[in-house]
Amino acid sequence: ISGIVLVVVLIATVGYGGHFLLGVLAALSMIGLNELYKVVKVQNSLGAAGYIGAAVWYALILTQHIEYQMPLIIFFLVAVMAVYVFSFPVFQSEQVTMVYFGFFYVAVMLSFVYQTRMLPEGNVIVWLIFLSSWGCDTCAYCVGVLFGKHKMSPKLSPKKSIEGAIGGVAGSMLLTGLYGWVFRGAMQAGAQEIVMLSVISGIGALISMVGDLAASAVKRNYEIKDYGRLIPGHGGILDRFDSVIFTAPAGYFLAG
């Protein structure tokens, strides 16, 4: 039930786009950062630096001052290191690294859903992000359950199989092809363009698996099952959006 509600909210939010979508993504980024920082036990001043950095990043996107994004990335590192050295030895170097990593991993990469939506054909292209992530997850699960025999990463994720991975990539390409054919009029796309979008979705599916396994690796390192309990049956924001976080920038640069 929670999955169905999530999809409905997603369709409404991404479909509407604009500042509303940006605000939702900013809120999701803050929740995701909170989940990650709790796992690595980073709060107080160091965690606050991460939240402030994420807020400024989204503010720059909102005001269209993208020329300040690189200075922000550099200044944010300086700010995090300043907190580290002036509060030494309160924090460990690994915690500082995770705060800086979290800023990129959650806030920066998730913001590309909005940036993809704002492309000239963004109202159509943005759905490739979810077709190549959640579509891949669903197809990989179904194929893996039915035909999975060879483990893809037995130590990290024992239930994932090579057969499931192949099914996930093929499924996401098939879903994208179907999506392109149904909306070919709105997209003004011919057969060649639909095939190209399917290939992009297949590449995105491969990248989404890296995102899924990366999130699993962090959870294994810190011996947790889920990042949070916000979404019943799915865990936290990072549990549900782990693959989307990787496919969002990939979709932006490949389709843009």
Side-chain angles (χ1 to χ4, degrees), residues 112 115-117 119 125 129 247-256:
F112 277 96
Q115 297 183 66
T116 303
R117 179 65 175 80
L119 290 173
I125 295 175
I129 293 173
T247 56
Y252 175 82
F253 290 111
L254 288 173

Side-chain angles (χ1 to χ4, degrees), residues 161-178:
S161 65
I162 295 175
E163 292 83 0
I166 295 173
V169 173
S172 65
M173 294 179 68
L174 181 61
L175 289 172
T176 301
L178 180 61

